Each structure stands twice: as structure tokens, then as C-alpha cells.
Amino acid sequence: DVTAAFNWATFGPQPLWLLMICLPRWSVTRALVRPIAPIVLFSLVHLLIVVASAGQEGGTAPLMEFAGVFDSSPGADPQGAMVGMMKYPNFVSEEWSHVLTWDLFVGRFIWADGLARGVPIRASVLLTNLIGPPGLLLHLATCLVSGKGLPPPPQIVAIPEAELLNSPEAADTAPASPQPASLRHVPQEF
């Protein structure tokens, strides 16, 4: 049921937000928020809304209206097209769960980065829950003002050359290199 999924997508993440904001260092907060499982759960709720909507008569906005959102031709009204799509309850449910899941993903990133690097996070996490991207901007500004610098780029796992060449024989015929095979073809800035 799309309505039940909408309610779950809306209210389900709120305890996680409260924990990240009010008790960010508590072991229970870490146990619940650190794993990717909550993000996966709410992604599945979003997928359920999409699939359930697609299976209902009139459950999705017409494709031409959706295309209007991305129409950049002169005289087009992408914002008006988006407003028009909001008259479809299932579209609202899909978009809302989409936004809330991504906000939680970003809030979790801010929480983890702040704890790992000793950056204050409560205001940034709260703002992310309330209005999304400005919370990330506040976190980045807080990182800079606190002297911690911007968050580091994600770690890229080196891919063995044999996998890069997509051939089991490639590992046997690869030329000798001063770098270990696991680091070949990986840009040095990573």
C-alpha cells in the first residue's frame, strides 16, 4: 500500500535523526546508524512505492508530463511541469521517499565524518533533516572553520590488473612493473 509506505518513509527515519542529533556518540546510535542497513531499508521502501505505483491504474504521472520537467526548449515550463506532477499522490509519495532517503544518506555521512574527525555535527545534521543540502554546506563550512579541512575523498579500492583487463590470462602475461599488480592503473591521487 503506497500510503502505508509513504508513512513509513516519513516517520521511520526520524528516530535515527534524533539519535544522530541528540546522542551522536551513544553506542546505540552507532549500532543503528553506522551500518548501511537503514539506508537500504528506506531505499527498499522507495522501490516498493515505485513498483506499487506503476502497477496501479493512474498510479504514475504521464510520461509526457515527466518529460516536461526536462524540457529546456524556449517557452517550456519545467517548473510548471513539476508542479503539475504533484497532483498525482503516488508521484508525491515517490518523490518524498526519494528525498528523505537521500537526506538520511547525507545526514549519516555528516554524522560519521564529524565523529571520525572531531567536527561538531548537531546543527548540520539537524539542518540536513529539515532542508537537505544546506545541512551539507553547513557541515563543510564547520569543517573549514574548525580547522579540520574538508572531508577526505572516499577510499578507492585498487583493482587487480587481471580484473581490469577482464581476462584470467592477463595476470599471467602482464609485464613486470615496480608497482604491485593491485595498484597498476589506479590514479596516484587516490
Side-chain angles (χ1 to χ4, degrees), residues 8-159:
W8 179 242
T10 300
F11 300 112
Q14 296 315 310
L16 300 174
W17 285 108
L18 287 171
L19 289 170
M20 287 190 290
I21 294 164
C22 299
L23 300 165
R25 289 177 175 69
W26 190 30
S27 61
V28 173
T29 305
R30 289 175 189 235
L32 292 174
V33 177
R34 188 168 184 257
I36 195 74
I39 306 300
V40 171
L41 173 67
F42 294 111
S43 295
L44 289 170
V45 171
H46 176 262
L47 180 61
L48 172 78
I49 291 170
V50 170
V51 170
S53 296
Q56 293 176 0
E57 181 70 29
T60 60
L63 191 55
M64 290 310 296
E65 283 191 53
F66 185 74
V69 173
F70 298 97
D71 184 355
S72 62
S73 63
D77 184 12
Q79 184 181 32
M82 187 67 163
V83 169
M85 291 177 64
M86 291 298 178
K87 67 184 174 194
Y88 300 94
N90 288 357
F91 179 77
V92 171
S93 297
E94 182 278 326
E95 281 301 299
W96 184 240
S97 65
H98 177 154
V99 168
L100 293 178
T101 300
W102 282 120
D103 285 354
L104 184 60
F105 184 80
V106 173
R108 178 180 169 268
F109 164 79
I110 292 168
W111 169 81
D113 179 62
L115 289 182
R117 300 188 313 121
V119 177
I121 57 171
R122 287 185 167 129
S124 301
V125 172
L126 175 63
L127 195 60
T128 301
N129 186 22
L130 298 175
I131 58 174
L136 177 61
L137 295 176
L138 178 59
H139 177 65
L140 297 176
T142 303
C143 290
L144 293 173
V145 169
S146 69
K148 303 288 184 174
L150 293 174
Q155 295 295 318
I156 306 297
V157 177
I159 301 170

